[in-house]
Amino acid sequence: QATSVDRSSHSMDKSITLPPDEIFRNLENAKRFAIDIGGSLTKLAYYSTVQHKVAKVRSFDHTAKVGGETEGDPLYEISMQEEVSARLHFIKFENAYIETCLDFIKDHLVNTDTKVIKATGGGAHKFKDLIEKKLKLRVDKEDEMTCLIKGCNFVLRNITHEAFVYAKHADSEFRFQNTHPDIFPYLLINIGSGVSIFKVESEDTFERVGGSSIGGGTFWGLGALLTKTKRFDELLQLASKGQHTNVDMLVKDIYGGSYGSLGLTGDLIASSFGKSATPDKEFSKEDMAKSLLHMISNDIGQLACLYARLHNLTRVYFGGFFIRGHPVTMHTITYSINFFTKANFVRIFFLMGSSFFCLIHCYFFLLYLDPNQYSWGENYAGSSGLMSTSPDLNPMQRARSGTFDMLEMDRLERQLVNLPLLQDPSSYIPDTVDLSEDALAREYWLYCFEEALDGVVKRAVASQPDLPEAAERAEKFRHKYQHKLQTLRHQPL
């Protein structure tokens, strides 16, 4: 899986006009759109069509010729055909800039056929009047939880490498999962401002079995009070630099070491913020943010473990704005569940594009489409991926936690199905090479791509001899391609 270009590095500012290609793509072919408004973020989806060329190859049968192939007879012929395919675009931005974004939607997405906008999320009620006034459209609200679950089901079935396991000290920290025909039952832990826990048994059978008021909003709110830092990403950055043991009281701080008879190691947190009551001692913002992140993540991990045991579920998916691909958060949740389950009961996965799950189903509902009628795949060139561990390789990326600020999905014109000859598709594991984990194979193929680059550039120029800019465009391609190979060499995600 390749790291895709982060096209989301331009913040919305009320004082500037945003070039369409900075945030939105294919606006000239944009169709209907839908919106999901949360407590702090608004997500927008719109549909467009993309025209591209497809090579059709026709082979010739030479087996019937006497004396073998006649010199000059072609083995095959290639013809180019124009095809039009559908693409879904998903973008998110802060609610603070919703008026600017609504103005932009009005200018570029609303047309004479647009009468209604489908909206979901807790903020849809709050901003309903503003949306209808700005866009001159009627807002139809869809149930948020139904959209969330059905959007999650769709993505787990259709988008390869959506779910992944995080292992901090492994050679490859991220282990991505392939799509699977049998996704039920599972437990979904959605961590937004608070925490909602869902037991999902089938496409239409699910229930909210629990939750907690201690979630992402708690981290943001308490973090702002403790550090005077108001932005969520800045809090995460502080936490990534902090040392929680300066603030938390550990088992060894109480007992001088581990508590063997209870199975407690010395480095286990006995009391979050337990050292902060020390008189005449100052604590750094970084250490307090790290302690707070550990406290909330550990609490959520324990809740997930308890609900998984209560409902006898072994697959647990974590999503929501709080996760955001942030390594410290994912590691703490993983550690917490492994501690309480002894690493042998629950399999946990994190979800890449969970911020858009509500919107995905809301959008399909808007178009009255059956999401299972076609097969879909992520367009990596237009989606933002996990944050690179080597920011110097890509100066366009922001110094922030990994998250999908943008997601794009392309539709195949026919539905892909499991090979019908398989006895049990759910247990079939294809014989593939994962270049994100196999370092030797990855280096071999990257070397092959680098060696072949000169030839590819020459053939590209030769294919358009009448265009004077062909050589310049080919050199730009060479530079970008080499840059991508170097990025993949250092971070194969």
Side-chain angles (χ1 to χ4, degrees), residues 68 197 203 210 212 223 246 289 326 334 341 365 401 415 423 455 471 475:
I197 302 175
E203 189 66 41
S212 172
N246 294 331
H326 191 253
T334 302
T341 65
F365 189 87
S401 61
Q415 186 178 23
Q423 183 176 9
E475 284 303 314

Side-chain angles (χ1 to χ4, degrees), residues 395-414:
M396 290 181 63
Q397 285 188 322
R398 288 182 294 174
R400 56 163 175 78
S401 61
T403 180
F404 269 91
D405 286 334
M406 294 182 64
L407 171 67
E408 289 187 354
M409 297 192 303
D410 287 329
R411 188 184 78 187
L412 300 178
E413 295 308 310
R414 59 188 181 280

Side-chain angles (χ1 to χ4, degrees), residues 1 50 95 100 103 116 120 165-166 262 264 277-278 294 317 335 353 425 447 463:
Q1 172 155 341
V50 181
N95 285 355
T100 303
D103 286 335
V116 178
T120 186
V165 175
Y166 181 77
L262 296 182
L264 305 177
T278 305
H294 270 279
Y317 293 96
Y335 178 87
Y447 172 78
S463 69

